[in-house]
Amino acid sequence: MLNPIHNRDIIFHHNQDDTHDDYNAAPVRANTTSTAVTGLYLHRRSDGKAVLNKNIAGIPLWWTAPGTLALLEASVTANGKFCQLKDYLNVLPDSTSPSSSYKPLEFSLGAPISDYWSSIRLSVTAASPWGAQSWFLACPTSVTDEYLVYLQTGTDVPPGQTCALTKLS
C-alpha cells in the first residue's frame, strides 16, 4: 500500500484503490436510548451546520490529528490523482446568546477552529474551555427527522425549543 502525501487539508492518493482504514472511523450516531434522536447519524448540512438525521449513506468521520475531527468529503480528481478533502467539526461561539450553555457545531473546510476533540468511552468528548463534555443537545429543525446538534455544557436550551440530550459515538 502506498503512503498518502499529506498537503494541509487534502490527502492525495497515488491510485483509486489505495485506501487507508487507519484513518477511518465509523459514522457517528446518537446513542442515548429512549430519545427521539437515538440511532440518527451525524452529518454536515449544506450550510455547514452539524445535524443528526436518518441518512445512513453518510460519509464516515475521520480522526485526523490529535484534537481534531473531520468528515471525509467527496473525492475529486486533482492533476490526475485521487484526493479527498477534510471537513472539520468545530464548536462555535453562540453569537445570539454567548453566555448560554449550548454551543453550535459546524463543519468547515480548511484548518480546524476547535482542537479539543477526543474519543473517550465511545463518546465524542470536548476537553474544551468549558471542561470535559460528553453530552450534546439535538433540537428539531423544520425538516422531518433532522436535528441541529450543539455541544451541551450546562442546562440551557435554545428559546422555544424542545431538545433531546444525547451522547454521540
Side-chain angles (χ1 to χ4, degrees):
M1 181 184 302
L2 298 172
N3 288 329
I5 301 167
H6 292 272
N7 182 0
R8 291 193 66 196
D9 302 301
I10 301 175
I11 295 179
F12 291 97
H13 297 280
H14 294 285
N15 63 56
Q16 289 189 350
D17 296 326
D18 190 17
T19 59
H20 297 279
D21 292 336
D22 296 340
Y23 296 101
N24 276 329
V28 171
R29 62 187 186 124
N31 68 3
T32 303
T33 57
S34 303
T35 68
V37 298
T38 301
L40 298 182
Y41 292 87
L42 184 64
H43 287 275
R44 178 192 190 278
R45 200 166 68 179
S46 61
D47 62 0
K49 295 197 184 311
V51 294
L52 291 170
N53 64 36
K54 290 183 176 182
N55 182 1
I56 61 170
I59 302 167
L61 287 175
W62 269 31
W63 300 101
T64 58
T68 63
L69 182 62
L71 279 172
L72 178 62
E73 277 294 313
S75 302
V76 295
T77 303
N79 299 326
K81 295 181 176 151
F82 181 67
C83 67
Q84 299 165 322
L85 303 176
K86 292 183 223 168
D87 208 354
Y88 291 94
L89 182 61
N90 295 296
V91 180
L92 303 177
D94 186 355
S95 59
T96 58
S97 183
S99 63
S100 65
S101 67
Y102 55 92
K103 308 300 177 196
L105 300 180
E106 189 170 291
F107 289 96
S108 63
L109 288 171
I113 298 167
S114 304
D115 64 354
Y116 33 73
W117 295 104
S118 65
S119 177
I120 298 173
R121 293 185 300 277
L122 299 176
S123 293
V124 177
T125 304
S128 66
W130 314 280
Q133 304 293 328
S134 61
W135 287 98
F136 296 84
L137 202 55
C139 304
T141 69
S142 58
V143 176
T144 302
D145 294 323
E146 180 184 84
Y147 297 80
L148 278 175
V149 182
Y150 300 88
L151 175 67
Q152 181 58 288
T153 66
T155 58
D156 299 334
V157 296
Q161 291 276 335
T162 302
C163 303
L165 194 59
T166 190
K167 290 196 174 205
L168 302 175
S169 65

